[in-house]
Amino acid sequence: KNQVEQSPQSLIILEGKNCTLQCNYTVSPFSNLRWYKQDTGRGPVSLTIMTFSENTKSNGRYTATLDADTKQSSLHITASQLSDSASYICVVSDRGSTLGRLYFGRGTQLTVWP
Amino acid sequence: EADIYQTPRYLVIGTGKKITLECSQTMGHDKMYWYQQDPGMELHLIHYSYGVNSTEKGDLSSESTVSRIRTEHFPLTLESARPSHTSQYLCASSESRRTSGNTGELFFGEGSRLTVL
């Protein structure tokens, strides 16, 4: 069964600290992996998209890594800010069709305290 | 910022009422989607469309219906709302993956929070 598991479920850190969120997946055949940020009461916003051949991709203070062999991805946030408080969702796309079915994780709820 | 808009953002209605959630995008995307999201849970696909006059049901069974008469517009309708329909509804759109250099990036609207009493 194709699944996407994220850990931890929730995380609290102090402003200025770094953190790493994890995503493990069993989706096959793999097409790409995406990380989204979803602020409370808002729609998800894309942070990164990585294909099979990409190991790392950065977007400002966000750096995503992908290990397609172990089917793991991580999202590293550097020098956290209060505005980073949000749910971070890992989404994996398969290669089964031109639509590319998407499998969503439940997200990691990050809270940054001052 | 993505050019995809949902209205209303919040709606509280009584059981049995008919409601339509509006979704419009100005990016000319072929594909549009409706997702349902409950707190702490993953997004579930309830409807999608490949283009005008094309609509399909998603993974999650839903009593809602959709239409795609125009490329930019993808409304979702509930004929008779029930408390079990209380949820966050997210509309999204993407370009065809056949487009050169495109990875099927998904752009979401801000969501419509529906509460049925």
Side-chain angles (χ1 to χ4, degrees):
Chain A
K1 180 181 177 182
N2 287 324
Q3 284 187 316
V4 177
E5 300 287 342
Q6 292 188 243
S7 62
Q9 183 177 351
S10 62
L11 181 63
I12 300 174
I13 62 173
L14 295 177
E15 186 179 14
K17 298 296 185 182
N18 304 335
C19 67
T20 300
L21 314 180
Q22 300 289 344
C23 174
N24 296 337
Y25 63 92
T26 59
V27 176
S28 180
F30 173 85
S31 177
N32 59 66
L33 185 146
R34 315 153 187 232
W35 283 95
Y36 285 85
K37 178 188 179 188
Q38 185 176 22
D39 293 319
T40 301
R42 310 289 291 273
V45 175
S46 178
L47 295 175
T48 65
I49 298 177
M50 287 185 293
T51 58
F52 184 87
S53 60
E54 295 174 298
N55 301 116
T56 185
K57 183 168 280 190
S58 292
N59 178 1
R61 293 179 297 101
Y62 301 102
T63 299
T65 64
L66 173 65
D67 186 334
D69 292 330
T70 61
K71 297 187 177 182
Q72 295 179 326
S73 176
S74 65
L75 180 69
H76 186 72
I77 304 174
T78 304
S80 61
Q81 300 176 358
L82 299 179
S83 59
D84 291 331
S85 294
S87 178
Y88 292 83
I89 303 171
C90 177
V91 184
V92 181
S93 175
D94 70 13
R95 225 184 314 148
S97 68
T98 55
L99 176 64
R101 179 172 173 163
L102 299 179
Y103 297 86
F104 289 81
R106 294 187 175 187
T108 292
Q109 183 65 48
L110 174 66
T111 303
V112 181
W113 282 1
Chain B
E1 292 262 334
D3 296 321
I4 179 165
Y5 308 100
Q6 290 186 240
T7 58
R9 288 291 313 280
Y10 304 94
L11 181 62
V12 180
I13 61 171
T15 297
K17 298 294 185 183
K18 177 182 179 179
I19 64 111
T20 296
L21 304 181
E22 302 286 351
C23 177
S24 295
Q25 51 94 8
T26 58
M27 296 173 281
H29 288 169
D30 295 329
K31 296 177 179 174
M32 296 189 74
Y33 314 82
W34 276 103
Y35 289 91
Q36 188 171 339
Q37 184 182 33
D38 294 311
M41 302 296 289
E42 63 267 44
L43 276 70
H44 289 287
L45 181 66
I46 50 175
H47 295 283
Y48 62 96
S49 168
Y50 288 144
V52 172
N53 294 325
S54 155
T55 62
E56 301 286 345
K57 288 189 179 294
D59 307 318
L60 184 67
S61 174
S62 174
E63 293 162 350
S64 58
T65 59
V66 292
S67 63
R68 190 88 182 276
I69 299 173
R70 303 197 316 267
T71 298
E72 62 271 21
H73 197 212
F74 191 41
L76 179 145
T77 298
L78 274 168
E79 290 293 333
S80 179
R82 295 204 303 271
S84 61
H85 295 138
T86 295
S87 189
Q88 166 96 327
Y89 293 85
L90 289 164
C91 180
S93 71
S94 68
E95 290 182 303
S96 167
R97 291 177 67 187
R98 290 186 293 273
T99 302
S100 174
N102 175 261
T103 56
E105 174 66 70
L106 207 57
F107 295 91
F108 286 90
E110 296 284 37
S112 293
R113 165 66 63 181
L114 174 65
T115 302
V116 184
L117 304 177

